Amino acid sequence: MNPTTDRTDADFARSLREHVDALAPTIDVDTHDVVPAARRRRRRRAALTGAAAVAVFAAGAGWAAHTWILTVPDEVVPATVVPYVPSDGAPTIDGGWPDAPYWRVRFETQGTDTTGAGSTAVRVDWLGHDDPGLLTEEGEDEVTPIGPSSWAELLIDDERVLVGWDGLYALPTDPVELERLLRDSVEPDRGAGTPDDKVFDMARTLLVGTPAPPALRDALWDVLTDLPSTSALGEVTDARDRSGQGVETTIQGWTSRIVYDPTAHRVLETTGTQDDELLDEMRDDGRLDGVILTTSSRTTYLDEGPADAPPAEPRLEDSGCVSWETC
């Protein structure tokens, strides 16, 4: 049963507000319009396409602060997209995109697996605010419909609640209080690694691939870089030679790196590599028999921003789901 089925949006908003106020009464958190989409689950996508790979961690996408469609090198040609402009005028950077109907993310993925096979693809995801979304791959006709997007389950008043688009705008933007909220949501029997590792994974999921406002993105980045289990890398470059700040952590043999541009408030790239010694150990123990694992992955975010609609209507019959609420 979906844990939020019997809760109203007002209940969720009130619970989140009370929880945050209990942590830090001086923090003003706007929870007046927490989402219907908080009740929807988002289907996770594999980082490696074209191979039967089991990804250790899922990667998402960031956003552009200075332009609604991110400026990219000449060799990258963004797909045609209908820009979203709210009825009350041009969107502001500081306020994010609380009313946009879709979030469009275009990114390049590259990866290898334990068979030695590799793949590279450019994907475009259309993530719905309240409506179903669409996952696409450039050069391919096949599309994957998904339900309205949500990005995390957080513990609010001892009840796990899915946080969707509007829920992102109700979260605290003070890094200390945000980290405490994430720590309260850690479950001993859920997720990989230590409590710090699980906080890292939750913060990354909320940061990468969401229409979160800039203040929340910066707070999430602060949480990621201040964890005892992570290493700040200082200035680094991504695969397209763009500069940003890096952070790295290793969870059960998988080393994840995130490159973040703090000036533009957006993720540039995520990468991951599996420890070779651990893979050799798994081969010797027979744990890799009949199993294909991702050994390295890279996701580079090319352009993204709010949009009016995906290029095709998401159809439930094409999704393999019984209803959008569970898709």
Side-chain angles (χ1 to χ4, degrees), residues 10-65:
D11 290 336
F12 175 43
R14 183 173 59 254
S15 297
L16 182 55
R17 178 59 179 268
E18 290 172 353
H19 184 81
V20 173
D21 285 347
L23 295 175
T26 59
I27 301 298
D28 184 15
V29 180
D30 180 10
T31 59
H32 73 282
D33 191 25
V34 179
V35 284
R39 295 192 175 137
R40 275 54 169 238
R41 295 186 181 273
R42 178 186 176 196
R43 184 193 300 178
R44 300 292 182 99
R45 59 176 175 268
L48 194 62
T49 60
V54 179
V56 179
F57 291 110
W63 64 284

Side-chain angles (χ1 to χ4, degrees), residues 144-167:
T144 303
I146 58 171
S149 294
S150 59
W151 290 274
E153 270 191 0
L154 297 182
L155 188 66
I156 308 296
D157 287 346
D158 299 321
E159 188 172 7
R160 303 201 70 82
V161 179
L162 285 170
V163 176
W165 191 306
D166 292 343

Side-chain angles (χ1 to χ4, degrees), residues 79 102 105 107-108 120 158 162 183 216 235 273 282-283:
Y102 283 91
V105 183
F107 55 100
E108 181 183 70
T120 302
D158 299 321
L162 285 170
R183 287 194 181 277
L216 178 59
E235 185 170 334
T273 55
M282 293 175 70
R283 288 189 183 95

